[in-house]
Amino acid sequence: MEVAIRLDRTEGLTRQVYAQLRDAVLDGRLRPAEALPSSRALAEQLKVSRNTVTTAYERLVAEGFLTGRAGAGTFVNALPLGESAVPRSPFGPLTPRAVWSPLPVPPDFAEVPEFDFRVGAPDARLFPYAAWRRLLTNQFQPSAVGTGLPAEPAGHVGLRTLIAHHLRTARTIEAHPQDVLVTSGAQQALDLIGRVLLEPGATAAVEEPGYAPPRLVWESQGIRVTGVPVDDQGLIVDALPTDARLVYVTPSHQYPTGVALSLQRRIELLAWARRHDAAIVEDDYDSEFRYTEQQLEPLHSLDRSGRVLYVGSFSKVLLPTLRLGFLLHPPSIRHALHAAKFVTDWHTNLPIQAAMAEFIKQGMYAQHLRRVRRVYRQRHERITAALAGPLSAHLTAVPSSVGLHLSAIVRGASASDAVIRARAAGVGVASFPEIAMAAADAPGIAFGYGMIDTHRIDQGLDRLHRCLDND
């Protein structure tokens, strides 16, 4: 018989012959006991060497798809267990758990607006590539790799020690290296916290509007997540559900509004957690970028009962693609967190951790932070001035002196309509519902300044002003 095989001469010919014959058997196009062409005949048909066909046949015989009979030829075997061959399904019969269907996946970041005020990323052009490349190269030496065995789940000891020192000096947080867990970004820290502290069906409270990933990761674990409103002093503690076992907050720079959790609210939240035997997750996601001397005490520093878990990352100072973060946790859950880290991914990329430790140890982290802080301060000042000036006719600024974005409340129109008009004019701002868990009619919009050139801010905001004037 003649077998239809189409070859792509740019790829391995033996592999193609094998794969197409195997698929023909599985799909039922070649039936049990059917004879195949001799290796010589098929090689001539395909204009390939006989060895190419012989090797493919031998593999199919070894795997049980074919049988070679001396002096008779090569024949198709019946499929294992007597199952009938069926055509390959384009989708497959497997279905995911229902919880995954409504959960979103990240948007496509490839399309860059003319004036890029998108939220959530630093300026990659400021990253110290040459220094980082040298440090990382040093980690791929036999002396650095050592035995090559996996590392301990908690992370690189040197990096954990340096993170603890940084928290003590920069954030007045009493931190010990043994209570620092290195993670693959802040998102993994949230995942581990949910695994260790919350049973399926338990309640967690998050800010609303608020950062979406905590809600998404905990809902995927079967946890009931409840939104709690935010005002000009941050999370409204009196609105917390009494059955919440965990509360997630961004106290230094509430995402996305930008307000800071007042000292009074911080004290109230800690007292609430003690009364209700709950944990608090403090996400200090961009506190490195502070443009005034005023600084509120972190929740962790005020905590006297060991209920606060402090989450941080290096994504905003360096690059999100490094996937490097950390979790400062109470000693009481150390073993459980290490076990959870082990069963999820064993440990975070060790060469990246070691390079980061050297980056901090050699003073390059502090130097880089001072440099980027100066750049972001200039951008922050320009947007603040515009919101207090021409744009104040349409927008009410939310005062903030921290972070990589500023927010404003739209007056006289919906935020969604304002964003649509802005994007049509090439200005890449975002509404609260797009970047956070928020009501569809939430009036806020956000101006990120991590990725836009400083000298283009005024032009972009002027175009936004004209766009809003034409409403």
Side-chain angles (χ1 to χ4, degrees), residues 102-372:
L103 297 185
V105 294
D108 183 3
F109 295 107
E111 186 175 346
V112 178
E114 184 178 355
F115 298 97
D116 195 352
F117 291 101
R118 289 177 297 173
V119 174
D123 194 334
R125 295 164 298 184
L126 301 177
F127 183 76
Y129 290 98
W132 186 259
R133 187 181 305 112
R134 174 176 57 80
L135 292 173
L136 194 56
T137 298
N138 290 340
Q139 298 307 318
F140 288 98
Q141 307 290 340
S143 58
V145 172
T147 62
L149 295 172
E152 61 176 302
H156 186 280
V157 174
L159 179 57
R160 291 159 56 199
T161 301
L162 290 163
I163 290 172
H165 176 74
H166 172 74
L167 292 176
R168 287 194 298 270
T169 56
R171 298 295 285 137
T172 67
I173 291 175
E174 186 61 33
H176 302 283
Q178 62 267 33
D179 296 326
V180 174
L181 176 69
V182 179
T183 61
S184 300
Q187 183 71 353
Q188 187 185 47
L190 300 174
D191 177 79
L192 296 174
I193 290 168
R195 290 171 181 269
V196 166
L197 291 182
L198 301 176
E199 297 285 352
T203 298
V206 299
E207 300 163 323
E208 193 171 281
Y211 189 48
R215 177 189 290 265
L216 298 177
V217 71
W218 292 332
E219 285 182 342
S220 75
Q221 294 174 346
I223 295 162
R224 178 174 171 267
V225 182
T226 301
V228 179
V230 172
D231 63 14
D232 60 355
Q233 294 187 63
L235 181 84
I236 300 175
V237 177
D238 290 342
L240 284 167
T242 57
D243 63 341
R245 301 271 55 81
L246 182 149
V247 183
Y248 171 87
V249 288
T250 51
S252 296
H253 186 222
Q254 200 278 328
Y255 187 92
T257 67
V259 302
L261 188 66
S262 69
L263 179 59
Q264 180 63 33
R265 292 277 177 86
R266 291 172 191 239
I267 294 172
E268 291 175 2
L269 179 57
L270 290 167
W272 184 95
R274 288 194 300 271
R275 289 196 308 272
H276 293 85
D277 192 25
I280 300 171
V281 177
E282 178 179 16
D283 190 340
D284 214 19
Y285 72 102
D286 59 4
S287 63
E288 298 90 350
F289 305 116
R290 181 168 295 280
Y291 312 115
T292 67
E293 295 301 320
Q294 182 181 4
Q295 177 173 307
L296 288 170
E297 285 287 299
L299 279 167
H300 196 285
S301 295
L302 300 172
D303 179 28
R304 294 295 180 270
S305 59
R307 296 185 178 278
V308 176
L309 297 96
Y310 184 95
V311 175
S313 84
F314 298 102
S315 294
K316 298 297 189 295
V317 177
L318 297 175
L319 290 175
T321 48
L322 292 180
R323 306 309 306 140
L324 194 58
F326 59 88
L327 169 62
L328 179 63
H329 56 78
S332 58
I333 59 173
R334 181 187 303 148
H335 172 77
L337 284 169
H338 289 193
K341 173 69 174 173
F342 166 66
V343 300
T344 51
D345 73 345
W346 202 317
H347 60 79
T348 297
N349 185 305
L350 191 58
I352 294 288
Q353 293 187 63
M356 187 68 208
E358 284 299 311
F359 190 70
I360 297 174
K361 184 178 179 180
Q362 295 182 27
M364 288 186 279
Y365 179 81
Q367 180 183 20
H368 176 70
L369 180 56
R370 288 193 296 271
R371 178 193 176 208
V372 297

Side-chain angles (χ1 to χ4, degrees), residues 349-415:
N349 185 305
L350 191 58
I352 294 288
Q353 293 187 63
M356 187 68 208
E358 284 299 311
F359 190 70
I360 297 174
K361 184 178 179 180
Q362 295 182 27
M364 288 186 279
Y365 179 81
Q367 180 183 20
H368 176 70
L369 180 56
R370 288 193 296 271
R371 178 193 176 208
V372 297
R373 190 184 283 147
R374 285 194 298 269
V375 173
Y376 296 144
R377 182 193 299 272
Q378 294 172 358
R379 299 176 186 179
H380 176 275
E381 290 172 349
R382 289 204 179 191
I383 297 176
T384 299
L387 289 174
L391 286 171
S392 63
H394 303 281
L395 304 173
T396 300
V398 178
S400 176
S401 59
V402 184
L404 285 181
H405 79 272
L406 283 160
S407 295
I409 305 302
V410 181
R411 299 195 308 275
S414 76

